[in-house]
Amino acid sequence: AQTVTQSQPEMSVQEAETVTLSCTYDTSESDYYLFWYKQPPSRQMILVIRQEAYKQQNATENRFSVNFQKAAKSFSLKISDSQLGDAAMYFCARRPQGGSEKLVFGKGTKLTVNP
Amino acid sequence: DAGVTQSPTHLIKTRGQQVTLRCSPKSGHDTVSWYQQALGQGPQFIFQYYEEEERQRGNFPDRFSGHQFPNYSSELNVNALLLGDSALYLCASSWWGWTAQPEQYFGPGTRLTVT
């Protein structure tokens, strides 16, 4: 089975500090996309950042950046200058580049931001 | 620009009944995917519709069926409801020409409770 694993069920961070959420995945494909989604208590799944597997450069979006290690099949999310609004469930997801648009999700990491 | 919308927000049904959930995709999107998110889990892919046809299906029984209309909106139908069908049902839309925009955009979900 091609799975996505998030080994940290819960994480906490102090406001203004940096936190890293881990994700590993299993795939036999060479080309695929990786995503981090945020799901606050409102339930709306919001796209945080995406990474194309063929790109060596790590993606960044403002305070959010990833560390993509293709050989290790690792895709961690770093949140800098954490804000109270960052508190949410964070899901790592993978989809193949060709054909199916099916997303495979991990079980999520609950992030708490302490003031 | 309207995002993905879903109705109803909440629904309570009795075991054995049938339910229909509705989704309108983001403007410009032509593909709709449905996911089931059990409490404390990541979303699981149910199926995807494009050009009014089911293009791919996850590991869900035939009790789960769907439809896509010419305006790209979609319905998810679940027959003979079981207690285990209680979950958050998420609709996600995307553009079939995924090379430019591979990500899926999610609606706020429908919380289904089966008693």
Side-chain angles (χ1 to χ4, degrees), chain A residues 65-102:
Chain A
S65 62
V66 299
N67 183 5
F68 173 49
Q69 302 290 327
K70 190 173 184 179
K73 295 181 181 177
S74 171
F75 182 59
S76 60
L77 174 70
K78 186 172 82 171
I79 306 174
S80 304
D81 186 25
S82 297
Q83 300 176 0
L84 295 177
D86 295 334
M89 286 292 295
Y90 285 82
F91 292 94
C92 177
R94 180 194 63 78
R95 60 150 286 192
Q97 185 180 26
S100 163
E101 291 190 26
K102 168 186 171 181

Side-chain angles (χ1 to χ4, degrees), chain A residues 33 35 37 39 42-47 50 52 89 91 95-108, chain B residues 9-10 35 37 40-43 45 48 56 88 90 94-96 98-100 102-104 106-111:
Chain A
Y33 294 96
F35 304 90
Y37 281 89
Q39 188 177 40
S42 66
R43 310 179 324 202
Q44 183 97 37
M45 194 78 78
I46 301 165
L47 177 67
R50 84 167 194 237
E52 291 86 343
M89 286 292 295
F91 292 94
R95 60 150 286 192
Q97 185 180 26
S100 163
E101 291 190 26
K102 168 186 171 181
L103 284 170
V104 177
F105 285 87
K107 291 188 175 182
Chain B
T9 304
H10 296 91
Y35 294 82
Q37 186 178 18
Q41 301 293 319
F45 175 77
Q48 179 188 89
Q56 191 181 13
L88 180 66
L90 296 168
S94 55
W95 177 49
W96 189 255
W98 47 262
T99 51
E103 53 266 26
Q104 295 184 5
F106 285 81
T110 294
R111 171 72 67 189

Side-chain angles (χ1 to χ4, degrees), chain A residues 4-6 8 21-25 36 73-76 92-93:
Chain A
V4 175
T5 302
Q6 294 179 247
Q8 306 153 316
L21 309 183
S22 301
C23 173
T24 58
Y25 57 93
W36 279 98
K73 295 181 181 177
S74 171
F75 182 59
S76 60
C92 177

Side-chain angles (χ1 to χ4, degrees), chain B residues 26-94:
Chain B
K26 180 180 169 65
S27 178
H29 285 181
D30 56 10
T31 303
V32 173
S33 302
W34 286 92
Y35 294 82
Q36 180 194 66
Q37 186 178 18
L39 197 61
Q41 301 293 319
Q44 297 287 318
F45 175 77
I46 303 175
F47 44 52
Q48 179 188 89
Y49 277 85
Y50 170 68
E51 289 190 338
E52 302 180 48
E53 290 188 5
E54 183 181 294
R55 293 287 171 162
Q56 191 181 13
R57 189 178 185 91
N59 189 25
F60 280 80
D62 292 343
R63 298 187 297 108
F64 289 78
S65 64
H67 187 77
Q68 185 180 36
F69 300 94
N71 66 353
Y72 308 122
S73 67
S74 177
E75 288 182 349
L76 164 64
N77 301 294
V78 187
N79 295 322
L81 284 166
L82 304 174
L83 295 179
D85 295 331
S86 295
L88 180 66
Y89 288 84
L90 296 168
C91 169
S93 75
S94 55

